[in-house]
Each structure stands twice: as structure tokens, then as C-alpha cells.
């Protein structure tokens, strides 16, 4: 008898919104300051891949699904 509420308790996974907020605030922006915001779940590696742009730069983050930690971040010139 695995109800939805039980499974969410045992696996305290973060949601996509929190992953996006984590990445954007780490970069020092608010959500209204970035463009081309994308977030997708990579089930194989158990991470969210978040990307967005601001001020001629493209930011890419990998966020751990289980705890919301930043696994990797990359900033590139957006050309």
C-alpha cells in the first residue's frame, strides 16, 4: 500500500521550481531578470538541468534532485 503521500515523505525530492530558484539565486538574479529559462529532469543521473541567459551570458546548472545541492555550474558567453 504505497500511497502518494507516503512515497513523497520517504523520498524528499525537490521540485522543478526549487531547482530553478536555486540556480537563479546562485547566479545572483531574480526570476524576472533571466531569459530562456529551461529546466528538465535527468532521471538517469538524478538531477535537474537548469539553463538560462542574462546579460550576454548563458548559465547552466546541474541541481541534485534529492537535496537541491548544486552539482555543477557553467557560465558561457552567449553568442
Amino acid at each position: 500500500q504505497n500511497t502518494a503521500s507516503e512515497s513523497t515523505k520517504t523520498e524528499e525530492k525537490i521540485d522543478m521550481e526549487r531547482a530553478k530558484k536555486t540556480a537563479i539565486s546562485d547566479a545572483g538574479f531574480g526570476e524576472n531578470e533571466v531569459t530562456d529559462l529551461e529546466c528538465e529532469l535527468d532521471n538517469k543521473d538524478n538531477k535537474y538541468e537548469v539553463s538560462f541567459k542574462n546579460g550576454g551570458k548563458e548559465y547552466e546548472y546541474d541541481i541534485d534532485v534529492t537535496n537541491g545541492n548544486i552539482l555543477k555550474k557553467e557560465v558561457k558567453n552567449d553568442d
Side-chain angles (χ1 to χ4, degrees):
Q1 299 162 328
N2 198 2
T3 66
S5 61
E6 278 175 13
S7 64
T8 52
K9 270 190 195 126
T10 52
E11 300 176 37
E12 287 288 329
K13 295 192 173 183
I14 69 159
D15 61 12
M16 212 169 254
E17 273 309 301
R18 181 158 158 216
K20 288 192 273 194
K21 282 188 174 68
T22 299
I24 293 168
S25 67
D26 181 80
F29 305 122
E31 274 191 69
N32 58 345
E33 297 177 85
V34 301
T35 58
D36 296 340
L37 175 58
E38 291 178 21
C39 183
E40 58 185 56
L41 177 59
D42 181 342
N43 276 317
K44 187 170 63 70
D45 292 329
N46 227 22
K47 67 184 181 185
Y48 287 109
E49 295 171 349
V50 183
S51 64
F52 53 88
K53 295 178 182 177
N54 176 292
K57 301 229 184 277
E58 182 175 357
Y59 297 79
E60 291 180 5
Y61 281 81
D62 289 351
I63 308 288
D64 192 314
V65 168
T66 53
N67 56 24
N69 287 343
I70 296 168
L71 302 171
K72 187 184 98 182
K73 61 182 172 181
E74 203 175 320
V75 183
K76 299 186 273 197
N77 285 321
D78 180 27
D79 37 41

